[in-house]
Amino acid sequence: MTRYRTLGLFVLLAAVWGSAFMAINAGLEYVPPVLFAAVRYDIAGLVMLAYAAYATDAPVPRSRADWADVAVGALLIIAAYHALLFIGQTDPGVTSAAAAVVVSLSPILTTGFARVFLPGERLTPVGIVGLALGLVGVAVLSELEPGNLLASDAVPTLLILGAAAAFALGSVLSRRVDSDLPIETLEAWAMLLGAVLMHVVSVGLGESTTAVTVSLESVAALAYLSIAASALGFLVYFELLDRLGPIEINLVSYVAPVFAALSGWAFLNEIPTAGTAGGFGLIFAGFLLVKRRAVAGEIHRLTGRGAPDRE
């Protein structure tokens, strides 16, 4: 019974996070991008803070390490990731599925950054091939031309790639911080501080509340992103992280584009292209190469055949 519940939560998380790309595209029709992302985390942060006060004994960071952990999450995982993602998705040529596929490069980039910033980690030649394969997948997806890397149709995809890199770097740097802060508290304060940073960026970009159009669609998109994708999504994510471990939970990144494509088609009439499918295939192949030993070990564990021989 527990196995089916875990599978159900996994599918729920992939569906919620995948369809979030559709909700972003829908909401960007009515709200400037960085302001939209900031308000999303104003709401999500307050919800998470209330939950942290209920579920933990430490709803407020206390030590310097606690605040360092919050700062990393706020700057990279919340502010940089979402500002770049939302700006990238303002381009009408970037479908929900395409954005989700680029973001699915995050687990590969996380491994690459870990080799640089975490002692004792190193990227093998096969791992380097896997990382390169993932980047080629992004190039295929964005139809990059070597002689014109800043073509207007390529820039939005590169911005989303920058978002994935910011998320990956933040995930790695947070591991270096020696903090005992409960994850609910960490997420709440990172969301709130990240929202403040995005409000500052929004003002700096000249975004204005006068450009906001209040409609049923914009309110629904904001509510879905704040409550379902952010507050509920992160709670399910950390529950599954505890049950499954980091390898299996990373697979959410590769199931989410399926739901992004389905929701984008159903609600926004977006049709995935061959480039989207090809890019996804290359990125997933890169993930399997980078994580080949961990994936093999997980398969052996699930099949009860013992640990595989080391290379």
Side-chain angles (χ1 to χ4, degrees), residues 121-165:
E121 299 276 1
R122 68 183 180 87
L123 201 60
T124 65
V126 176
I128 293 173
V129 172
L131 180 59
L133 199 59
L135 294 173
V136 170
V138 174
V140 169
L141 185 66
S142 58
E143 300 179 355
L144 285 176
E145 298 178 8
N148 192 15
L149 294 179
L150 296 181
S152 59
D153 56 345
V155 170
T157 302
L158 293 177
L159 287 173
I160 298 173
L161 174 60

Side-chain angles (χ1 to χ4, degrees), residues 294-309:
V295 170
E298 192 66 24
I299 291 173
H300 280 72
R301 183 184 70 81
L302 292 173
T303 57
R305 301 167 75 182
D309 295 333

